[in-house]
Amino acid sequence: MDFKLTPEQEMIKKAAKEFADREIEPIAAQVEREKNMPPDMLKKFAKARLLGMTVPREYGGVGSSFLNWALATEQISYPASACGGLMAMNNTVPNMIDRYGTQEQKEKYIRPLCQGEVIASLAFTEPATGADPRLITTTAELDGEYYRINGTKRFITDSPFDGPVILFAKTNDRISGFIVDKNSEGYTTSKPYELMGGGGWVTADIYLKEVRVPKDNLIGDLDNGFIILLQWAATSKLALCAGSVGLAQAALDESVRYAKERVLRNNRPIAATQSIQWMLAEMACKVEAARYLLYWAASLVDQGKDVMREAAIAKLFSSRAGVEVADMGLRVHGAYGFTTEYKIERIYRQAKGNEVIEGTSEVQRSIVAGFLVR
Amino acid sequence: MQKETDRLNLDEYRDVWVFAEQRDSKLRGVALELLGKGRELADSLNVKLVAILLGNNVADQCQELVSYGADKVISVDDPRLEHYQTDIYADIITRQVLTSKPEIFIIGATFLGRDLAPRIARRIGTGLTADCTGLDIDEEARLLVQTRPAYGGNIIASIVTPSVRPQMATVRPRVMKALDRDTARRGEIINIPPAIDEKNIMVKIVEIVKESKRSVNLEEADIIVSGGRGVEAPEKFRVIQELAEVLEAEVGASRDVVDAGWIPSTHQVGQTGKTVRPKLYIACGISGAVQHMAGMRESETIVAINNDPDALIFQIADYGIVADLHQVLPLLTKKIRQSMEER
Amino acid sequence: MKVVVCIKQVPDTGEVRIDPETGNLIREGVPSIVNPDDKHAVEEAVVLKEKYGGKVTVITMGPRQADAALRECLAMGADEAILLSDKAFSGADTSATSYTLGSAIKKLGEFDLILCGRQALDGNTAQVGPQLAEFLKVPQVTYARKIEITGGGLKVERALEDGYEIVETRLPALVTATKDLNIPRIPPMDAIMDAYGQKEIITWTASDIDVDRDKTGIKGSPTRIRKASTPVLKKGQIEIIDGTVEEAVDTLVVRLKGKQLI
């Protein structure tokens, strides 16, 4: 078992880091404050070929391994900015279209996502539930050549922006997945939510009123959409893991730097004190553990394995690690950590999100336990 | 590479040569500084110090070269030599060098020098050492010992050119010291006709543009106030600028800060930036990475202000304050302004 | 257009540190990078290829590990990469380096333009470019800030200390690149995969190129390093000014006034 990255993987990591340093880091604080991402950011991701990384070249993707994608996402998350989040949807959704879509769907929808022309969404969550398919109330009724879709979706990332959304609706008491054009008539979104962290990240409710979707836009088998959701959730979790790892590493680096600079009365930096050293050591342990869980799960995907259990373990652990590392980091910074002068406060706020979005930690626990006790 | 018989031929090479760089018919500071060093080398070897000058309307500069130490001046004065052009200068100088056989030839490491010297060295087939911070004579071996930094200043190397001649070296401005001007000195001034072969001119100068934006002139500054990562944010650089203003100083910066885009690269001091030698260098929030120090260690007086008592900069500073520069600088600016107003 | 770019893999000297106890250079763990000025040269070559068509060949003289540097250039858009690796090449000064590179370039055949970085982070001599131009007997334009291909050849804006000049020359020519020339692209993910997957690095030893071994490597170097040491830092004379910030500032002002600096 060779844990060393290959030279190619090192270069992937390096190039992604350069992208983050050059394009995101300089504007991160401002984007956080103004909650406004530069309009050309998605195109920049596309140019660096960071979108559609795991999708085949023939459809416009990069055809890379999941591990490469995880390595890149980890680096993109380091600046602790919502800009990094742009990478997730246009990777996980085209990945699903590639796995479950028809040839026509693949040829139509994947390339524009890889080229950053539009932005994808995935809509499952509703007011009643974020995880239970039986509580879904959005309906899709077959009407000639179309399905008519009615209902409400909650907390859908990038729902107001042009592009395709893989949307789950009730059919025959089960659920099915549909590729819906967010530009469709009858499709509207609420005002975006104001969130605790990730300024610039847009998440809003979707109102669907008699939205007509061509029959051919059913993705996967009828009534069998839940499996698509589960698979998407597994890969999307890996994106969040990578996010947590990137954030945690940033928290650690910031804290080490601060600890070396911050000097006490006797001219000793706080980094020389045991209490700070122990905190930094714990942070380092958690970062490494989270990182290798991520690489492990991603490698298994590359080996063709199903990772529902592994992704849940990785997300459960890394999201908690991210929160704890951010918390310790803020304490290392002392009162300065509570101000926007330092990066740590936005890391703290953003890290918390990963524990509750896309399946709370409690849901992850249920998944893992499920594999143990059944 | 060179055989015994060639070794004997080295004795045919005598004298120390200095390239006298001029701009707009006026000698550049580096030329005079190199004469200062050249004088010392020539005296060690008991040979002549020769300056070679190319330009247009530079007759009055010839005597200047003598006043600054040259025993002999070879002057090539022609309108076509007004602006430096690689091929013309390389042709003329190479021919002179091959004819006169100096043992040492020093050129200033300016934009011009760094374009010219390697071309000449390669044409002659001799060794060239760039950016020397020290030049000395090994009298026993009759060799020029060329000292220069490498690896961003982390290594100091001593280099020699044992078997070929002339031993060529370039030296940056502000590294050597010019002699005091002595108008009583006498020397030989020889005028040589240019003999330019138009066929050999491969690059044509179409336009020369002087950029008159208040150009940062760190190399000539007497006082420099420099900021590093300790400044923390581009908006905070103001404290550096305010202190510089009250001292009528230039603003310098470390590489980190330039790379982060907080200040243009014209302000960068260091191995890949400018070498400076001001009377006073105030380093604020600069840790003293070796490549930065390589660019300013020759400053006469160095003041370091840094939060980190272990910062390397304190090892070369004359005065140090271990404190937050954001507290020190405004107070320092205020005090200096007050004391200036009192005068 | 056939463009040849000469690159060098260098230690990231920003990361190089001195061991405070021994005073020696700490070399382990120092990452190797493509020399920054050379990256600008590669970028420019790729831009010219994208504009005018043609081929970009990257060449380096170095040890086996320089492979990673060449791959990065391939990922940026170079078409072909050549590694000149041989014990006979090692220990070369700039003169021997330019001889070896030049001999390899002669073997490559016709070219329109050679691009080099202005100077390398470790040596900082800025000599290889001009020496290579002299060896190949082509015109040189150093300190390039902007390059334009014209009907007749090349038009370059080159930096001067206090401004710039615009020069023209015919092709083939050699140009050295400064950081003001362009912003090197970040190698895209797919290009990185291809650089490691499909593209091959061609390795040439001394026997593959037509060289006189007396003129390469340490043998062919007119300059010799006699001694290398770590610099002695001017220690011991510092006065750390104590007290509160107020007191320290006052003391400093007194000191500087005493030296007639303010």
Side-chain angles (χ1 to χ4, degrees):
Chain A
M1 194 178 288
D2 187 353
F3 286 87
K4 210 162 150 248
L5 292 179
T6 65
E8 179 187 329
Q9 287 161 347
E10 289 284 0
M11 197 176 288
I12 295 272
K13 183 175 153 188
K14 197 166 99 155
K17 181 170 194 340
E18 252 189 87
F19 183 89
D21 285 345
R22 201 192 277 192
E23 303 292 353
I24 307 179
E25 194 77 58
I27 57 168
Q30 187 186 7
V31 167
E32 182 77 7
R33 213 170 36 234
E34 295 172 12
K35 304 197 191 330
N36 204 356
M37 269 192 264
D40 60 351
M41 183 58 71
L42 188 64
K43 279 288 176 149
K44 288 185 175 178
F45 272 96
K47 198 161 161 227
R49 305 294 271 130
L50 287 164
L51 305 178
M53 277 185 75
T54 55
V55 161
R57 300 251 177 129
E58 71 182 276
Y59 301 119
V62 175
S64 132
S65 64
F66 260 78
L67 183 53
N68 278 350
W69 169 69
L71 288 169
T73 306
E74 180 191 339
Q75 297 303 317
I76 297 298
S77 309
Y78 188 91
S81 169
C83 296
L86 280 180
M87 202 177 139
M89 280 298 160
N90 279 26
N91 267 285
T92 56
V93 170
N95 185 251
M96 283 302 121
I97 299 177
D98 179 50
R99 273 181 82 168
Y100 293 101
T102 61
Q103 189 63 23
E104 289 77 20
Q105 288 168 346
K106 291 191 235 203
E107 282 170 11
K108 181 172 174 187
Y109 290 106
I110 294 180
R111 193 172 302 268
L113 291 171
C114 298
Q115 292 182 339
E117 284 162 26
V118 288
I119 205 167
S121 295
L122 190 126
F124 176 85
T125 302
E126 296 187 357
T129 183
D132 189 343
R134 293 163 300 182
L135 295 179
I136 293 292
T137 58
T138 300
T139 53
E141 281 180 39
L142 187 57
D143 183 358
E145 292 300 301
Y146 293 92
Y147 279 92
R148 281 182 300 116
I149 302 189
N150 286 281
T152 306
K153 291 295 183 188
R154 172 138 293 169
F155 294 149
I156 308 301
T157 302
D158 296 323
S159 48
F161 305 129
D162 282 352
V165 50
I166 297 183
L167 189 139
F168 296 92
K170 194 155 84 161
T171 54
N172 303 320
D173 271 343
R174 308 277 298 278
I175 62 167
S176 302
F178 298 91
I179 303 178
V180 179
D181 183 348
K182 289 186 264 178
N183 245 334
S184 302
E185 198 175 316
Y187 174 107
T188 53
T189 57
S190 70
K191 201 167 73 105
Y193 285 82
E194 280 189 39
L195 305 170
M196 178 177 155
W201 179 14
V202 175
T203 197
D205 293 347
I206 303 177
Y207 307 121
L208 304 136
K209 190 156 174 194
E210 296 295 313
V211 174
R212 281 160 27 111
V213 169
K215 221 166 56 159
D216 289 337
N217 276 30
L218 172 72
I219 181 170
D221 297 327
L222 185 65
D223 299 339
N224 222 357
F226 195 53
I227 186 70
I228 301 177
L229 174 74
L230 290 178
Q231 290 298 334
W232 175 83
T235 52
S236 186
K237 265 175 232 190
L238 294 186
L240 292 185
C241 290
S244 293
V245 175
L247 287 175
Q249 184 69 54
L252 177 60
D253 292 345
E254 287 285 301
S255 304
V256 170
R257 194 177 305 135
Y258 180 84
K260 284 181 170 178
E261 287 170 358
R262 179 74 178 141
V263 163
L264 300 175
R265 195 176 20 139
N266 50 355
N267 278 341
R268 270 170 94 224
I270 61 174
T273 63
Q274 193 177 67
S275 57
I276 297 292
Q277 285 182 0
W278 284 13
M279 274 200 272
L280 295 174
E282 278 227 36
M283 290 161 74
C285 290
K286 291 184 198 289
V287 172
E288 293 287 25
R291 170 173 291 128
Y292 283 95
L293 282 176
L294 168 68
Y295 293 175
W296 166 65
S299 301
L300 288 172
V301 175
D302 288 329
Q303 289 167 39
K305 302 240 173 21
D306 179 75
V307 292
M308 297 229 265
R309 170 184 164 262
E310 290 76 10
I313 290 176
K315 193 210 187 236
L316 176 61
F317 185 92
S318 64
S319 58
R320 177 92 300 240
V323 167
E324 289 179 357
V325 171
D327 181 82
M328 282 188 274
L330 203 145
R331 285 156 52 204
V332 168
H333 281 71
Y336 289 92
F338 201 63
T339 72
T340 55
E341 289 281 287
Y342 289 88
K343 197 174 156 183
I344 190 71
E345 67 82 31
R346 73 170 190 266
I347 295 175
Y348 182 89
R349 290 183 290 103
Q350 205 177 343
K352 195 65 194 173
N354 290 346
E355 275 199 309
V356 294
I357 64 170
E358 288 183 27
T360 62
S361 294
E362 285 57 50
V363 169
Q364 309 311 322
R365 286 192 175 87
S366 297
I367 296 175
V368 176
F371 281 94
L372 291 167
V373 301
R374 62 164 176 234
Chain B
M1 190 181 150
Q2 298 287 332
K3 293 165 302 199
E4 264 310 307
T5 47
D6 287 347
R7 265 215 158 258
L8 296 170
N9 293 346
L10 295 185
D11 291 335
E12 290 178 11
Y13 293 81
R14 282 294 176 263
D15 292 343
V16 174
W17 277 35
V18 167
F19 171 72
E21 183 173 338
Q22 56 81 17
R23 200 75 199 285
D24 299 327
S25 308
K26 281 259 147 3
L27 289 172
R28 299 203 66 191
V30 69
L32 308 178
E33 292 159 16
L34 294 192
L35 282 177
K37 186 57 168 178
R39 184 74 262 160
E40 184 193 306
L41 297 173
D43 290 341
S44 285
L45 291 166
N46 229 339
V47 298
K48 291 219 190 82
L49 176 62
V50 179
I52 178 164
L53 170 68
L54 275 63
N56 183 32
N57 275 332
V58 288
D60 57 342
Q61 300 300 297
C62 297
Q63 187 51 45
E64 278 299 284
L65 290 167
V66 174
S67 303
Y68 277 96
D71 297 312
K72 178 167 150 182
V73 177
I74 298 174
S75 168
V76 193
D77 200 327
D78 188 282
R80 288 168 293 176
L81 300 175
E82 178 161 353
H83 298 294
Y84 168 73
Q85 196 281 325
T86 312
D87 305 307
I88 304 179
Y89 272 55
D91 270 1
I92 294 174
I93 296 173
T94 306
R95 228 175 300 122
Q96 289 305 312
V97 167
L98 290 174
T99 309
S100 303
K101 298 190 158 116
E103 58 194 302
I104 291 173
F105 185 18
I106 326 173
I107 300 181
T110 58
F111 276 60
L112 184 159
R114 295 170 116 227
D115 183 276
L116 177 64
R119 192 105 198 185
I120 295 177
R122 180 76 232 181
R123 190 170 298 181
I124 295 175
T126 187
L128 171 66
T129 305
D131 296 348
C132 297
T133 49
L135 292 171
D136 301 280
I137 301 290
D138 175 341
E139 290 185 16
E140 207 185 296
R142 206 188 172 92
L143 281 178
L144 177 68
V145 180
Q146 304 147 58
T147 309
R148 74 176 302 263
Y151 283 104
N154 287 303
I155 294 262
I156 300 290
S158 292
I159 297 170
V160 292
T161 307
S163 328
V164 266
R165 292 291 177 269
Q167 304 159 90
M168 286 182 67
T170 66
V171 180
R172 286 209 178 183
R174 317 287 293 176
V175 173
M176 302 295 176
K177 265 192 143 87
L179 299 175
D180 290 328
R181 186 166 175 265
D182 181 1
T183 46
R185 284 199 96 250
R186 291 281 161 263
E188 196 190 344
I189 298 176
I190 303 180
N191 282 295
I192 305 247
I196 296 171
D197 186 351
E198 303 280 329
K199 275 201 281 84
N200 288 347
I201 303 176
M202 299 192 279
V203 179
K204 193 175 83 165
I205 301 175
V206 168
E207 196 187 333
I208 300 183
V209 176
K210 289 231 165 88
E211 280 171 329
S212 60
K213 65 170 161 69
R214 196 219 163 257
S215 41
V216 177
N217 203 348
L218 287 171
E219 284 116 330
E220 316 278 313
D222 277 334
I223 307 179
I224 296 176
V225 182
S226 224
R229 283 196 67 241
V231 173
E232 283 158 6
E235 315 84 70
K236 297 186 184 174
F237 227 79
R238 228 183 320 112
V239 294
I240 307 272
Q241 280 154 340
E242 280 167 3
L243 179 57
E245 248 175 68
V246 81
L247 287 170
E248 283 177 49
E250 288 283 357
V251 172
S254 69
R255 187 180 142 192
D256 277 338
V257 150
V258 167
D259 282 348
W262 298 359
I263 193 169
S265 59
T266 38
H267 293 270
Q268 184 177 331
V269 172
Q271 188 74 20
T272 45
K274 301 193 174 142
T275 306
V276 297
R277 222 182 166 207
K279 294 210 176 75
L280 174 61
Y281 189 93
I282 306 179
C284 314
I286 291 178
S287 61
V290 188
Q291 76 264 43
H292 182 79
M293 297 209 284
M296 45 64 72
R297 64 180 339 123
E298 301 295 309
S299 309
E300 281 177 38
T301 301
I302 298 172
V303 175
I305 301 164
N306 195 305
N307 241 337
D308 175 5
D310 292 325
L312 285 175
I313 192 86
F314 288 122
Q315 294 187 6
I316 60 161
D318 297 290
Y319 302 108
I321 299 182
V322 181
D324 182 358
L325 67 97
H326 294 290
Q327 293 189 322
V328 174
L329 294 193
L331 208 53
L332 186 59
T333 306
K334 193 171 109 188
K335 292 264 148 102
I336 294 175
R337 193 176 286 126
Q338 272 172 2
S339 90
M340 285 185 152
E341 281 160 11
E342 277 157 22
R343 269 203 255 124
Chain C
M1 281 210 72
K2 292 185 89 194
V3 185
V4 178
V5 186
C6 299
I7 68 153
K8 186 177 181 188
Q9 187 186 55
V10 297
D12 191 351
T13 53
E15 306 279 319
V16 169
R17 285 165 298 127
I18 305 268
D19 183 327
E21 261 148 64
T22 62
N24 289 327
L25 206 64
I26 300 173
R27 284 188 214 233
E28 298 90 58
V30 178
S32 293
I33 57 172
V34 174
N35 181 46
D37 279 356
D38 298 349
K39 265 181 119 164
H40 293 280
V42 174
E43 174 65 25
E44 196 67 15
V46 175
V47 166
L48 289 172
K49 178 184 77 156
E50 287 167 350
K51 221 166 163 186
Y52 300 103
K55 183 172 169 197
V56 175
T57 303
V58 184
I59 185 166
T60 192
M61 188 186 86
R64 300 249 148 239
Q65 76 206 55
D67 178 279
L70 290 171
R71 301 267 182 199
E72 195 173 336
C73 298
L74 289 172
M76 282 175 73
D79 300 292
E80 185 180 62
I82 299 176
L83 172 63
L84 301 174
S85 187
D86 195 312
K87 265 170 77 179
F89 300 153
S90 75
D93 68 359
T94 60
S95 189
T97 303
S98 59
Y99 172 76
T100 307
L101 281 172
S103 306
I105 292 175
K106 278 185 174 170
K107 180 181 160 107
L108 277 175
E110 304 237 315
F111 58 88
D112 295 298
L113 179 62
I114 300 178
L115 286 169
C116 304
R118 181 188 53 136
Q119 67 186 48
L121 272 191
D122 53 357
N124 271 308
T125 63
Q127 286 174 191
V128 172
Q131 288 183 326
L132 182 56
E134 171 62 26
F135 177 77
L136 292 170
K137 292 287 181 222
V138 297
Q140 77 188 39
V141 183
T142 58
Y143 288 95
R145 286 186 353 183
K146 191 157 150 212
I147 298 177
E148 216 182 290
I149 308 287
T150 61
L154 202 62
K155 189 158 128 176
V156 183
E157 185 182 301
R158 63 181 293 264
L160 300 174
E161 260 114 352
D162 56 355
Y164 63 92
E165 64 183 17
I166 302 193
V167 304
E168 279 179 356
T169 184
R170 54 148 175 91
L171 295 176
L174 182 145
V175 178
T176 75
T178 63
K179 61 175 177 263
D180 295 321
L181 191 56
N182 53 43
I183 297 177
R185 66 195 62 192
I186 294 169
M189 298 290 122
D190 53 355
I192 294 174
M193 285 172 66
D194 293 343
Y196 276 95
Q198 296 155 350
K199 298 197 177 173
E200 285 299 312
I201 308 272
I202 302 166
T203 304
W204 282 347
T205 62
S207 349
D208 294 312
I209 55 176
D210 196 4
V211 282
D212 176 351
R213 281 166 203 252
D214 283 338
K215 296 193 180 158
T216 64
I218 199 164
K219 264 189 169 187
S221 301
T223 63
R224 291 288 152 87
I225 299 180
R226 226 191 206 185
K227 194 175 78 169
S229 55
T230 45
V232 176
L233 296 174
K234 170 176 124 193
K235 264 194 216 279
Q237 284 131 354
I238 182 169
E239 179 191 340
I240 297 276
I241 301 174
D242 277 319
T244 63
V245 171
E246 265 257 17
E247 290 164 355
V249 168
D250 279 340
T251 311
L252 180 63
V253 171
V254 166
R255 294 277 180 278
L256 293 180
K257 272 184 162 177
K259 281 189 153 191
Q260 295 187 307
L261 290 166
I262 57 172

